[in-house]
Amino acid sequence: MNRNQIIINKLAQRPYLTDGGLETALIFLQGIDLPHFASFPLLQSESGREALEAYFLGFVDIANRAGCGFVFESPTWRAHAVWGDIMGYDADALDSINQQAIEFLSSLRAKCGGAAAAHLVSGCVGPKGDGYVVDHAMSAQQARDYHLSQVTSFAAAGADMTSALTLNYPEEAIGIVMACADVELPVVISFTTETNGCLPDGTSLKDAIACVDAATDSAPVYYMINCAHPDHFSQALMAGEPWLQRLGGLRVNASRLSHEELDNVEALEDGDPAELGQLVLALQQRMPHIRVLGGCCGTDHRHVSHMCMAH
């Protein structure tokens, strides 16, 4: 059985939860400074690891009590070359930190007792540039070359899969899928959308998914949408077309604000956790193939708890 099928089989057995908006929760709720919105440096201090452990195990407790699996998503969204260079991490240091991240999450999974076998450890990949703006556009081959080192680190450390979050144009997604195929690591591709339900480069979700599937021999296990409020993309999911079967997860924003507006706020935009849970429920009732639920900017344990109740 190939590794993609193992994950598909796990998702068929139970619903899955993942975490919320890691960076916004740490910054606004715990007062932790995250230069350049990067959480991976926390792995290098005892206090940082303690903060991460408390954060993740809080979500695991929600999942365990609900009988759900849990996807541990590594705090490595910005642990790659462009952002590493800005923060003074060379290639060897990034390789070390990405492997440490997977080993750290694997150790947390081991603390889950009998539930551990259901949980997954995923290496998180972020875009080369800004998550909201296509400012470092690459060809698929350039993206493959750029992201290969990070996914190689994840594979070496024993990750179950990679999740590429907040992608805003198809070519980078194609390159990441190709890089993961090079190291035989299952991959999930997650696009973000603007308030009109399209990617920041103007591509529709339907076309973006079709483009990636058509361009890659080893297709993603499933696709997700992240860093957008359900109101921003729910209309794009109304048609009931076959491509929607490829959508397996949602990591939603707490706020209805646009990406541009969120970039300029100075306080936590956490919305209404109960309402968000109901909106997620409405989507999942229409699309039961969506098996992984979690949050993104502005969300925390409250929001995922309500999604779990909705589940």
Side-chain angles (χ1 to χ4, degrees):
M1 184 183 300
N2 67 41
R3 297 183 68 185
N4 281 24
Q5 193 61 49
I6 291 171
I7 294 171
I8 291 169
N9 290 351
K10 283 180 178 286
L11 296 179
Q13 293 170 16
R14 58 181 56 81
Y16 272 70
L17 297 177
T18 188
D19 66 299
L22 170 63
E23 290 83 5
T24 55
L26 294 177
I27 292 169
F28 291 107
L29 298 180
Q30 297 192 41
I32 296 174
D33 185 29
L34 297 180
H36 304 288
F37 213 59
S39 53
F40 70 85
L42 295 178
L43 291 162
Q44 298 185 295
S45 70
E46 183 176 352
S47 61
R49 292 168 77 91
E50 288 174 352
L52 289 171
E53 178 170 349
Y55 170 84
F56 281 111
L57 291 185
F59 288 103
V60 173
D61 182 59
I62 295 168
N64 287 345
R65 285 187 282 111
C68 295
F70 185 75
V71 180
F72 286 92
E73 200 69 70
S74 65
T76 52
W77 186 66
R78 283 200 158 155
H80 50 88
V82 165
W83 296 100
D85 184 62
I86 290 170
M87 290 181 281
Y89 290 80
D90 63 15
D92 287 341
L94 287 172
D95 173 56
S96 176
I97 204 77
N98 279 301
Q99 292 205 45
Q100 285 179 45
I102 300 304
E103 291 162 359
F104 172 69
L105 294 184
S106 297
S107 72
L108 295 187
R109 176 170 59 181
K111 295 182 178 183
C112 297
H119 301 333
L120 295 165
V121 172
S122 174
C124 181
V125 174
K128 180 179 181 181
D130 189 281
Y132 296 161
V133 180
V134 185
D135 59 353
H136 280 72
M138 298 178 284
S139 68
Q141 185 59 53
Q142 287 170 330
R144 179 186 197 169
D145 295 341
Y146 178 79
H147 289 289
L148 181 59
S149 58
Q150 188 176 28
V151 301
T152 298
S153 300
F154 295 152
D160 296 309
M161 56 192 280
T162 285
S163 299
L165 302 186
T166 330
L167 301 183
N168 49 36
Y169 66 103
E171 288 79 10
E172 187 163 22
I174 293 168
I176 292 170
V177 175
M178 293 164 65
C180 287
D182 289 343
V183 296
E184 300 182 344
L185 194 62
V187 60
V188 171
I189 292 295
S190 186
F191 291 114
T192 189
T193 75
E194 298 294 343
T195 56
N196 63 0
C198 292
L199 276 60
D201 77 334
T203 306
S204 70
L205 281 167
K206 175 182 178 180
D207 288 347
I209 289 172
C211 182
V212 177
D213 274 346
T216 53
D217 293 329
S218 179
V221 183
Y222 59 89
Y223 291 85
M224 293 199 303
I225 301 169
N226 82 290
C227 210
H229 190 275
D231 283 2
H232 297 169
F233 59 79
S234 57
Q235 282 299 116
L237 310 183
M238 293 294 287
E241 296 175 326
W243 69 272
L244 291 171
Q245 296 295 318
R246 296 290 285 127
L247 191 63
L250 299 173
R251 294 192 60 150
V252 297
N253 278 359
S255 171
R256 290 180 170 85
L257 292 181
S258 69
H259 290 153
E260 183 178 2
E261 291 169 326
L262 284 174
D263 261 346
N264 292 297
V265 299
E266 296 183 1
L268 183 66
E269 290 285 340
D270 60 355
D272 182 335
E275 180 198 36
L276 192 67
Q278 289 301 313
L279 291 171
V280 169
L281 171 62
L283 287 171
Q284 197 175 47
Q285 284 178 332
R286 292 208 320 265
M287 296 178 290
H289 52 275
I290 292 177
R291 304 295 289 166
V292 182
L293 298 179
C296 206
C297 293
T299 63
D300 53 54
H301 300 85
R302 296 170 298 155
H303 302 78
V304 174
S305 253
H306 281 284
M307 292 175 203
C308 186
M309 293 174 197
H311 212 298

